[in-house]
Amino acid sequence: MRFKQRVRLLLLCIAALASFSLSAAVLDDLYRVQVTQAEDQSRDDALRAATRVMLQRLVGNEVERGPLAAALKSPQDVMRRIGTAEGGKLRIEFEPEALNRLVRDAGLPALGRNRPGIVLWAVEAGELGDRTLSPVSASALILKEAAAHRGVALSFPLGDLQDMSQVDEQLIRQASRDELLAASERYPAEGTVALTVSGSSDQSMLDWTLWLNGQSDSGRITGTAEAAADKLMVAIANAVFAQYATPAGAADGVSGWRLHVEGINSVADYAGLLRSVNQLGSQAPQLIAIEGDKVQLQVSFAGSEAQLERLLNLDMRLQRMPEPVVEPEPEPALGGNEQDDASADLFPIPADSTAPALDPNAESMPDPANDPSGEPLAAPEPQQVVPTAPPAPALPTLYFRWRG
């Protein structure tokens, strides 16, 4: 076995067995749902409610179509295990492969484990004025629980000296776009939310503004603290779905892509790259080549180039590169006249040599269509041309640099 093949096999084996570190945008608990079973609610209805939440995490609000509607009627078919959690809640773990088949059969756009990070700048109105919402406060814990329930990768800023020097309570209440986006650049997040929390736990009011990839949305939500937080996370999840959901069918007939990644200098780098690319779809990436610090992978992805790049950018370690320019090969320096002169020196023609003259009295050349006996010759049989298959179209290639 050649050295490169042995290295490739070693990398694949180690990557398959290694324990990968999770990126902030990868939801490891995406396929686990907790619901509270009400006193007047049957267990089957609670399981259906959990299944609806699970499907909404994947396909948004289109959960009543075809196979998905059937799954809502018989939810146990897509569940791996059912247990109880603290407070008497039901904890359901779903089967990812069964859900992926349902989504494919339904032909709907879907989201995977990769989600854009959302950093939340929040203030809480009190009797003594606004105060920055602490990540460990009761309101913050309610927001975190609602985000996990709806599949939103929510995080809070550190609130250190750098944050305090850039952002104050007034900027958050006014939803000052430029200042908040500038302060969010230090965090691995694609979206930024400005939130003002007021009222009580029984009647809470949330004024919010979301910025995500140049698009913005805002609104006001009222209700109990838990209900208002859930509605806010549903709105954020819908905005994420609109920008990041992968279409079910191939765009322009292209579903295969080649990724050229530079800067892979260790097994840990390669494992991290595979972890990131594995979140794009159900099919594992195929290794094409390894050369030095460069790795080429073939991935299956049904979306457009912009969608693929947006999803890969969720991993901050992947940086898009321009396609390298191939320099044209120089023309040979040897000219035509020099070559003729060299040939003439090697094979000199005698000065008195002349070409033989044609004799006008000589017999005419025989007709090639007739043999010497005068019989016409049979026409040669035409050669059979074997049709060749057209070459496979080249896969579009995207170039990245790994910053591990």
Side-chain angles (χ1 to χ4, degrees):
M1 185 182 293
R2 293 184 301 174
F3 176 76
K4 185 182 293 185
Q5 292 175 332
R6 290 199 298 268
V7 173
R8 180 184 303 176
L9 181 60
L10 176 63
L11 288 174
L12 289 174
C13 294
I14 295 177
L17 298 176
S19 176
F20 299 101
S21 60
L22 292 179
S23 169
V26 177
L27 300 181
D28 193 44
D29 293 335
L30 178 65
Y31 294 98
R32 298 188 186 101
V33 178
Q34 286 190 176
V35 293
T36 301
Q37 182 178 352
E39 295 181 358
D40 57 346
Q41 188 181 32
S42 66
R43 182 182 176 89
D44 289 342
D45 288 341
L47 295 179
R48 293 188 185 96
T51 305
R52 178 179 293 273
V53 171
M54 182 68 251
L55 293 176
Q56 287 174 338
R57 292 180 184 179
L58 299 178
V59 300
N61 297 320
E62 298 288 336
V63 296
E64 300 288 349
R65 291 181 53 176
L68 304 183
L72 290 175
K73 295 180 180 179
S74 301
Q76 291 86 349
D77 295 339
V78 293
M79 294 179 179
R80 179 179 292 176
R81 61 176 61 93
I82 303 172
T84 57
E86 184 180 357
K89 293 184 178 181
L90 290 176
R91 174 179 290 177
I92 299 98
E93 184 174 347
F94 289 85
E95 180 58 53
E97 290 300 323
L99 290 173
N100 289 336
R101 285 195 299 270
L102 283 176
V103 173
R104 287 196 299 267
D105 293 342
L108 293 173
L111 286 172
R113 277 194 170 101
N114 268 17
R115 305 288 170 103
I118 307 294
V119 61
L120 177 66
W121 301 87
V123 295
E124 192 170 19
E127 295 180 357
L128 301 179
D130 294 341
R131 62 179 181 272
T132 303
L133 189 66
S134 169
V136 296
S137 65
S139 297
L141 295 178
I142 291 174
L143 290 168
K144 290 179 181 180
E145 184 176 353
H149 190 63
R150 295 299 177 178
V152 175
L154 188 73
S155 64
F156 283 78
L158 296 175
D160 56 7
L161 292 176
Q162 181 175 344
D163 285 341
M164 290 188 290
S165 65
Q166 292 181 275
V167 177
D168 57 22
E169 290 81 0
Q170 185 177 2
L171 290 177
I172 298 175
R173 176 177 281 277
Q174 294 176 350
S176 300
R177 175 185 178 276
D178 294 340
E179 290 81 357
L180 292 176
L181 293 185
S184 301
E185 291 180 356
R186 64 183 297 208
Y187 297 104
E190 286 70 35
T192 300
V193 174
L195 175 67
T196 300
V197 181
S198 57
S200 62
S201 59
D202 295 332
Q203 186 64 28
S204 180
M205 182 168 63
L206 306 180
D207 292 287
W208 61 276
T209 301
L210 167 68
W211 298 279
L212 181 61
N213 295 322
Q215 300 184 21
S216 63
D217 197 4
S218 61
R220 170 174 291 180
I221 300 171
T222 58
T224 63
E226 290 79 6
D230 186 68
K231 291 179 182 178
L232 173 61
M233 295 307 156
V234 169
I236 296 176
N238 289 338
V240 169
F241 185 86
Q243 294 193 34
Y244 287 88
T246 302
D252 298 330
V254 177
S255 59
W257 301 79
R258 177 173 293 189
L259 303 183
H260 179 101
V261 184
E262 300 182 6
I264 304 298
N265 297 308
S266 66
V267 173
D269 290 343
Y270 182 74
L273 174 63
L274 283 188
R275 173 71 182 186
S276 180
V277 176
N278 269 327
Q279 308 304 324
L280 294 175
S282 57
Q283 297 184 13
Q286 299 180 12
L287 179 63
I288 299 176
I290 297 178
E291 183 177 355
D293 69 336
K294 302 177 179 64
V295 173
Q296 294 187 43
L297 299 174
Q298 180 176 336
V299 299
S300 296
F301 182 75
S304 64
E305 177 179 338
Q307 290 172 319
L308 177 58
E309 182 180 3
R310 181 174 292 172
L311 286 173
L312 289 173
N313 284 340
L314 292 178
D315 194 324
M316 300 295 178
R317 297 167 294 183
L318 281 170
Q319 180 182 15
R320 183 73 185 271
M321 294 172 50
E323 182 176 355
V325 179
V326 180
E327 296 292 339
E329 296 183 0
E331 296 291 336
L334 185 61
N337 295 333
E338 296 177 359
Q339 185 176 4
D340 294 341
D341 294 342
S343 300
D345 293 339
L346 291 175
F347 303 101
I349 300 175
D352 58 348
S353 62
T354 58
L358 294 177
D359 186 358
N361 297 322
E363 296 182 359
S364 60
M365 297 293 293
D367 187 357
N370 299 276
D371 62 7
S373 62
E375 297 293 333
L377 296 175
E381 296 182 0
Q383 296 182 354
Q384 294 183 355
V385 179
V386 180
T388 57
L395 296 179
T397 304
L398 302 183
Y399 295 84
F400 291 88
R401 179 174 295 279
W402 181 262
R403 301 179 297 178

mmCIF file with all atom_site columns, all heavy atoms in Angstrom, residues 274-289:
data_model
loop_
_atom_site.group_PDB
_atom_site.id
_atom_site.type_symbol
_atom_site.label_atom_id
_atom_site.label_alt_id
_atom_site.label_comp_id
_atom_site.label_asym_id
_atom_site.label_entity_id
_atom_site.label_seq_id
_atom_site.pdbx_PDB_ins_code
_atom_site.Cartn_x
_atom_site.Cartn_y
_atom_site.Cartn_z
_atom_site.occupancy
_atom_site.B_iso_or_equiv
_atom_site.pdbx_formal_charge
_atom_site.auth_seq_id
_atom_site.auth_comp_id
_atom_site.auth_asym_id
_atom_site.auth_atom_id
_atom_site.pdbx_PDB_model_num
ATOM 1   N N   . LEU A 1 274 ? -14.316 17.371 8.977  1.00 0.00 ? 274 LEU A N   1
ATOM 2   C CA  . LEU A 1 274 ? -15.359 16.368 8.708  1.00 0.00 ? 274 LEU A CA  1
ATOM 3   C C   . LEU A 1 274 ? -16.588 16.622 9.564  1.00 0.00 ? 274 LEU A C   1
ATOM 4   O O   . LEU A 1 274 ? -17.725 16.459 9.099  1.00 0.00 ? 274 LEU A O   1
ATOM 5   C CB  . LEU A 1 274 ? -14.813 14.969 8.984  1.00 0.00 ? 274 LEU A CB  1
ATOM 6   C CG  . LEU A 1 274 ? -13.878 14.360 7.937  1.00 0.00 ? 274 LEU A CG  1
ATOM 7   C CD1 . LEU A 1 274 ? -13.591 12.908 8.281  1.00 0.00 ? 274 LEU A CD1 1
ATOM 8   C CD2 . LEU A 1 274 ? -14.463 14.460 6.539  1.00 0.00 ? 274 LEU A CD2 1
ATOM 9   N N   . ARG A 1 275 ? -16.377 17.023 10.815 1.00 0.00 ? 275 ARG A N   1
ATOM 10  C CA  . ARG A 1 275 ? -17.520 17.289 11.694 1.00 0.00 ? 275 ARG A CA  1
ATOM 11  C C   . ARG A 1 275 ? -18.376 18.406 11.121 1.00 0.00 ? 275 ARG A C   1
ATOM 12  O O   . ARG A 1 275 ? -19.607 18.332 11.137 1.00 0.00 ? 275 ARG A O   1
ATOM 13  C CB  . ARG A 1 275 ? -17.004 17.671 13.085 1.00 0.00 ? 275 ARG A CB  1
ATOM 14  C CG  . ARG A 1 275 ? -18.083 18.124 14.049 1.00 0.00 ? 275 ARG A CG  1
ATOM 15  C CD  . ARG A 1 275 ? -18.970 16.982 14.488 1.00 0.00 ? 275 ARG A CD  1
ATOM 16  N NE  . ARG A 1 275 ? -20.023 17.417 15.379 1.00 0.00 ? 275 ARG A NE  1
ATOM 17  C CZ  . ARG A 1 275 ? -20.871 16.591 15.992 1.00 0.00 ? 275 ARG A CZ  1
ATOM 18  N NH1 . ARG A 1 275 ? -20.763 15.303 15.806 1.00 0.00 ? 275 ARG A NH1 1
ATOM 19  N NH2 . ARG A 1 275 ? -21.805 17.054 16.783 1.00 0.00 ? 275 ARG A NH2 1
ATOM 20  N N   . SER A 1 276 ? -17.735 19.431 10.601 1.00 0.00 ? 276 SER A N   1
ATOM 21  C CA  . SER A 1 276 ? -18.478 20.566 10.052 1.00 0.00 ? 276 SER A CA  1
ATOM 22  C C   . SER A 1 276 ? -19.219 20.179 8.779  1.00 0.00 ? 276 SER A C   1
ATOM 23  O O   . SER A 1 276 ? -20.397 20.492 8.601  1.00 0.00 ? 276 SER A O   1
ATOM 24  C CB  . SER A 1 276 ? -17.520 21.724 9.783  1.00 0.00 ? 276 SER A CB  1
ATOM 25  O OG  . SER A 1 276 ? -18.205 22.837 9.246  1.00 0.00 ? 276 SER A OG  1
ATOM 26  N N   . VAL A 1 277 ? -18.535 19.465 7.888  1.00 0.00 ? 277 VAL A N   1
ATOM 27  C CA  . VAL A 1 277 ? -19.135 19.120 6.594  1.00 0.00 ? 277 VAL A CA  1
ATOM 28  C C   . VAL A 1 277 ? -20.231 18.080 6.765  1.00 0.00 ? 277 VAL A C   1
ATOM 29  O O   . VAL A 1 277 ? -21.201 18.055 5.998  1.00 0.00 ? 277 VAL A O   1
ATOM 30  C CB  . VAL A 1 277 ? -18.039 18.640 5.615  1.00 0.00 ? 277 VAL A CB  1
ATOM 31  C CG1 . VAL A 1 277 ? -18.640 18.178 4.299  1.00 0.00 ? 277 VAL A CG1 1
ATOM 32  C CG2 . VAL A 1 277 ? -17.035 19.759 5.362  1.00 0.00 ? 277 VAL A CG2 1
ATOM 33  N N   . ASN A 1 278 ? -20.102 17.216 7.773  1.00 0.00 ? 278 ASN A N   1
ATOM 34  C CA  . ASN A 1 278 ? -21.115 16.184 7.994  1.00 0.00 ? 278 ASN A CA  1
ATOM 35  C C   . ASN A 1 278 ? -22.478 16.768 8.317  1.00 0.00 ? 278 ASN A C   1
ATOM 36  O O   . ASN A 1 278 ? -23.497 16.078 8.158  1.00 0.00 ? 278 ASN A O   1
ATOM 37  C CB  . ASN A 1 278 ? -20.678 15.256 9.132  1.00 0.00 ? 278 ASN A CB  1
ATOM 38  C CG  . ASN A 1 278 ? -19.879 14.068 8.636  1.00 0.00 ? 278 ASN A CG  1
ATOM 39  O OD1 . ASN A 1 278 ? -20.123 13.565 7.546  1.00 0.00 ? 278 ASN A OD1 1
ATOM 40  N ND2 . ASN A 1 278 ? -18.915 13.640 9.416  1.00 0.00 ? 278 ASN A ND2 1
ATOM 41  N N   . GLN A 1 279 ? -22.528 18.021 8.765  1.00 0.00 ? 279 GLN A N   1
ATOM 42  C CA  . GLN A 1 279 ? -23.809 18.628 9.117  1.00 0.00 ? 279 GLN A CA  1
ATOM 43  C C   . GLN A 1 279 ? -24.584 19.111 7.901  1.00 0.00 ? 279 GLN A C   1
ATOM 44  O O   . GLN A 1 279 ? -25.719 19.569 8.028  1.00 0.00 ? 279 GLN A O   1
ATOM 45  C CB  . GLN A 1 279 ? -23.581 19.822 10.060 1.00 0.00 ? 279 GLN A CB  1
ATOM 46  C CG  . GLN A 1 279 ? -22.737 19.502 11.280 1.00 0.00 ? 279 GLN A CG  1
ATOM 47  C CD  . GLN A 1 279 ? -23.270 18.362 12.105 1.00 0.00 ? 279 GLN A CD  1
ATOM 48  O OE1 . GLN A 1 279 ? -24.481 18.204 12.237 1.00 0.00 ? 279 GLN A OE1 1
ATOM 49  N NE2 . GLN A 1 279 ? -22.386 17.554 12.654 1.00 0.00 ? 279 GLN A NE2 1
ATOM 50  N N   . LEU A 1 280 ? -23.989 19.006 6.707  1.00 0.00 ? 280 LEU A N   1
ATOM 51  C CA  . LEU A 1 280 ? -24.668 19.535 5.516  1.00 0.00 ? 280 LEU A CA  1
ATOM 52  C C   . LEU A 1 280 ? -25.801 18.642 5.038  1.00 0.00 ? 280 LEU A C   1
ATOM 53  O O   . LEU A 1 280 ? -26.724 19.110 4.388  1.00 0.00 ? 280 LEU A O   1
ATOM 54  C CB  . LEU A 1 280 ? -23.645 19.715 4.377  1.00 0.00 ? 280 LEU A CB  1
ATOM 55  C CG  . LEU A 1 280 ? -22.566 20.767 4.615  1.00 0.00 ? 280 LEU A CG  1
ATOM 56  C CD1 . LEU A 1 280 ? -21.559 20.747 3.479  1.00 0.00 ? 280 LEU A CD1 1
ATOM 57  C CD2 . LEU A 1 280 ? -23.183 22.151 4.747  1.00 0.00 ? 280 LEU A CD2 1
ATOM 58  N N   . GLY A 1 281 ? -25.716 17.358 5.286  1.00 0.00 ? 281 GLY A N   1
ATOM 59  C CA  . GLY A 1 281 ? -26.755 16.472 4.769  1.00 0.00 ? 281 GLY A CA  1
ATOM 60  C C   . GLY A 1 281 ? -26.608 15.085 5.344  1.00 0.00 ? 281 GLY A C   1
ATOM 61  O O   . GLY A 1 281 ? -25.774 14.817 6.216  1.00 0.00 ? 281 GLY A O   1
ATOM 62  N N   . SER A 1 282 ? -27.431 14.188 4.832  1.00 0.00 ? 282 SER A N   1
ATOM 63  C CA  . SER A 1 282 ? -27.447 12.833 5.359  1.00 0.00 ? 282 SER A CA  1
ATOM 64  C C   . SER A 1 282 ? -26.313 11.983 4.804  1.00 0.00 ? 282 SER A C   1
ATOM 65  O O   . SER A 1 282 ? -25.931 10.983 5.411  1.00 0.00 ? 282 SER A O   1
ATOM 66  C CB  . SER A 1 282 ? -28.789 12.163 5.023  1.00 0.00 ? 282 SER A CB  1
ATOM 67  O OG  . SER A 1 282 ? -29.018 12.180 3.619  1.00 0.00 ? 282 SER A OG  1
ATOM 68  N N   . GLN A 1 283 ? -25.740 12.319 3.637  1.00 0.00 ? 283 GLN A N   1
ATOM 69  C CA  . GLN A 1 283 ? -24.670 11.539 3.039  1.00 0.00 ? 283 GLN A CA  1
ATOM 70  C C   . GLN A 1 283 ? -23.318 12.037 3.532  1.00 0.00 ? 283 GLN A C   1
ATOM 71  O O   . GLN A 1 283 ? -23.059 13.238 3.576  1.00 0.00 ? 283 GLN A O   1
ATOM 72  C CB  . GLN A 1 283 ? -24.733 11.617 1.515  1.00 0.00 ? 283 GLN A CB  1
ATOM 73  C CG  . GLN A 1 283 ? -26.007 11.026 0.924  1.00 0.00 ? 283 GLN A CG  1
ATOM 74  C CD  . GLN A 1 283 ? -25.974 11.031 -0.589 1.00 0.00 ? 283 GLN A CD  1
ATOM 75  O OE1 . GLN A 1 283 ? -24.942 11.253 -1.202 1.00 0.00 ? 283 GLN A OE1 1
ATOM 76  N NE2 . GLN A 1 283 ? -27.109 10.770 -1.198 1.00 0.00 ? 283 GLN A NE2 1
ATOM 77  N N   . ALA A 1 284 ? -22.459 11.090 3.889  1.00 0.00 ? 284 ALA A N   1
ATOM 78  C CA  . ALA A 1 284 ? -21.139 11.452 4.378  1.00 0.00 ? 284 ALA A CA  1
ATOM 79  C C   . ALA A 1 284 ? -20.283 11.966 3.224  1.00 0.00 ? 284 ALA A C   1
ATOM 80  O O   . ALA A 1 284 ? -20.408 11.507 2.086  1.00 0.00 ? 284 ALA A O   1
ATOM 81  C CB  . ALA A 1 284 ? -20.472 10.234 5.023  1.00 0.00 ? 284 ALA A CB  1
ATOM 82  N N   . PRO A 1 285 ? -19.389 12.913 3.488  1.00 0.00 ? 285 PRO A N   1
ATOM 83  C CA  . PRO A 1 285 ? -18.508 13.418 2.425  1.00 0.00 ? 285 PRO A CA  1
ATOM 84  C C   . PRO A 1 285 ? -17.516 12.347 1.983  1.00 0.00 ? 285 PRO A C   1
ATOM 85  O O   . PRO A 1 285 ? -17.140 11.471 2.770  1.00 0.00 ? 285 PRO A O   1
ATOM 86  C CB  . PRO A 1 285 ? -17.805 14.611 3.085  1.00 0.00 ? 285 PRO A CB  1
ATOM 87  C CG  . PRO A 1 285 ? -17.859 14.317 4.544  1.00 0.00 ? 285 PRO A CG  1
ATOM 88  C CD  . PRO A 1 285 ? -19.149 13.592 4.769  1.00 0.00 ? 285 PRO A CD  1
ATOM 89  N N   . GLN A 1 286 ? -17.085 12.434 0.730  1.00 0.00 ? 286 GLN A N   1
ATOM 90  C CA  . GLN A 1 286 ? -16.109 11.502 0.173  1.00 0.00 ? 286 GLN A CA  1
ATOM 91  C C   . GLN A 1 286 ? -14.768 12.189 0.038  1.00 0.00 ? 286 GLN A C   1
ATOM 92  O O   . GLN A 1 286 ? -14.674 13.289 -0.494 1.00 0.00 ? 286 GLN A O   1
ATOM 93  C CB  . GLN A 1 286 ? -16.570 10.992 -1.204 1.00 0.00 ? 286 GLN A CB  1
ATOM 94  C CG  . GLN A 1 286 ? -17.876 10.235 -1.175 1.00 0.00 ? 286 GLN A CG  1
ATOM 95  C CD  . GLN A 1 286 ? -18.280 9.754  -2.554 1.00 0.00 ? 286 GLN A CD  1
ATOM 96  O OE1 . GLN A 1 286 ? -17.490 9.798  -3.485 1.00 0.00 ? 286 GLN A OE1 1
ATOM 97  N NE2 . GLN A 1 286 ? -19.506 9.303  -2.686 1.00 0.00 ? 286 GLN A NE2 1
ATOM 98  N N   . LEU A 1 287 ? -13.723 11.522 0.524  1.00 0.00 ? 287 LEU A N   1
ATOM 99  C CA  . LEU A 1 287 ? -12.376 12.054 0.405  1.00 0.00 ? 287 LEU A CA  1
ATOM 100 C C   . LEU A 1 287 ? -11.860 11.820 -1.007 1.00 0.00 ? 287 LEU A C   1
ATOM 101 O O   . LEU A 1 287 ? -11.861 10.684 -1.511 1.00 0.00 ? 287 LEU A O   1
ATOM 102 C CB  . LEU A 1 287 ? -11.451 11.387 1.422  1.00 0.00 ? 287 LEU A CB  1
ATOM 103 C CG  . LEU A 1 287 ? -9.993  11.825 1.393  1.00 0.00 ? 287 LEU A CG  1
ATOM 104 C CD1 . LEU A 1 287 ? -9.861  13.303 1.726  1.00 0.00 ? 287 LEU A CD1 1
ATOM 105 C CD2 . LEU A 1 287 ? -9.171  10.979 2.356  1.00 0.00 ? 287 LEU A CD2 1
ATOM 106 N N   . ILE A 1 288 ? -11.415 12.880 -1.671 1.00 0.00 ? 288 ILE A N   1
ATOM 107 C CA  . ILE A 1 288 ? -10.896 12.787 -3.035 1.00 0.00 ? 288 ILE A CA  1
ATOM 108 C C   . ILE A 1 288 ? -9.376  12.737 -3.043 1.00 0.00 ? 288 ILE A C   1
ATOM 109 O O   . ILE A 1 288 ? -8.773  11.885 -3.694 1.00 0.00 ? 288 ILE A O   1
ATOM 110 C CB  . ILE A 1 288 ? -11.399 13.969 -3.892 1.00 0.00 ? 288 ILE A CB  1
ATOM 111 C CG1 . ILE A 1 288 ? -12.927 13.957 -3.973 1.00 0.00 ? 288 ILE A CG1 1
ATOM 112 C CG2 . ILE A 1 288 ? -10.791 13.922 -5.292 1.00 0.00 ? 288 ILE A CG2 1
ATOM 113 C CD1 . ILE A 1 288 ? -13.494 15.145 -4.728 1.00 0.00 ? 288 ILE A CD1 1
ATOM 114 N N   . ALA A 1 289 ? -8.743  13.643 -2.325 1.00 0.00 ? 289 ALA A N   1
ATOM 115 C CA  . ALA A 1 289 ? -7.286  13.704 -2.358 1.00 0.00 ? 289 ALA A CA  1
ATOM 116 C C   . ALA A 1 289 ? -6.771  14.412 -1.123 1.00 0.00 ? 289 ALA A C   1
ATOM 117 O O   . ALA A 1 289 ? -7.449  15.258 -0.532 1.00 0.00 ? 289 ALA A O   1
ATOM 118 C CB  . ALA A 1 289 ? -6.799  14.413 -3.614 1.00 0.00 ? 289 ALA A CB  1
#
